[in-house]
Amino acid sequence: MPQKKTNIILIGMPGSGKSTIGVVLAKSLAMEFTDTDILIQMDQQKTLQEIIDGQGHMALRRIEENVLLKINCRNHIVATGGSAPYSHPAMNHLGRDGIIIFLHADLPALKSRIHNYETRGLAKRPDQSFQDLFDERSILYKKYADITVKTSSHTQDQVCDDIILQLDQSPFIPLTSRLQREFNTIKAMVKLYCNEHHETEDIICNECSELVEYSRDRLLCCPFQEKKSTCGKCVVHCYKKDMQKKVIDIMRYAGPKMALKHPLMAMQHFIDSRKKPPGLSAHAGNSRTKLNSK
Ligand code: SF4
């Protein structure tokens, strides 16, 4: 059985739409979004062009590789810089938990979108034409792509629909919107708990991240899927004992704080909790039913 991958990695030429499509896709799939060009700029406290001007285009590629190798996230859309596929280690790293999608725009479309080729912060040789760059990088994008989606003559919505259609046939397993909502709520509660109890400021520690990922796996196997009430009202309780205890402790601590910190999420969770939990008969015969605690 193929390994489930939880991230979507967008690659492609500058102007192919990685950042804009990434945001739209993140909204459609209720995932988080990361733009690695922004990570590089935050890491270096310089724009991409300033890095090239001061240290050269190869330095930018090395910095990019380091930033990509540090990415450790799940359930994210990651828009990479156009030069990401020059690094084999970085692409291998991203591909371990990510489906790699090549946003393919043809040369005339790209030329019509890029008007600042020389100052855009592209990691290219100083003498390299746009055509040369396109030819060189197209080979690399095709090499690493799990999925290729054409973007030249498509609207953003059409590109997103195409991606979602192709993801259905890939080892990527997105949560449905109801399950995603539950997952986001659990994650927010774990973060509140972790920041307070494990002295983490704006991140979740490794141990708590394990619980977050465990809860995601449980949701993926949830026999009730879209019909589920909140896990707290479930008649099955598919969590194994130690994880169940951890999650109860966290809910007790973070639950009362949610209304203040995440009022919309708290209200939606309250509405979800009012749903009558389905009984065992509701999922009898469902091939995805897994009642054993794992
Ligand atoms: S089976 Fe119950 S506890 Fe497990 S994910 Fe579904 S609703 Fe939550």
Side-chain angles (χ1 to χ4, degrees), residues 179 182 186 215 217-225 228-239 278 290-291:
L179 301 185
E182 181 97 4
I186 292 171
S215 74
D217 288 342
R218 294 291 76 208
L219 286 167
L220 280 167
C221 297
C222 178
F224 308 114
Q225 297 291 300
K228 81 188 282 302
S229 177
T230 49
C231 289
K233 296 212 163 170
C234 180
V235 293
V236 171
H237 293 300
C238 68
Y239 283 50
K290 294 182 181 173
L291 297 182

Side-chain angles (χ1 to χ4, degrees), residues 7 67 142-143 189 196 222 282 291:
N7 295 322
V67 167
K142 284 176 192 157
K143 173 178 167 187
M189 287 185 168
E196 187 61 35
C222 178
L291 297 182

Side-chain angles (χ1 to χ4, degrees), residues 3 25 55 92 94 109 130 158 176 194 230 233 267 275:
Q3 190 201 347
L25 202 56
Q55 302 166 62
N92 263 355
L94 293 174
F130 197 57
Q158 286 169 331
T176 60
C194 182
T230 49
K233 296 212 163 170
M267 188 183 296
K275 249 191 228 164

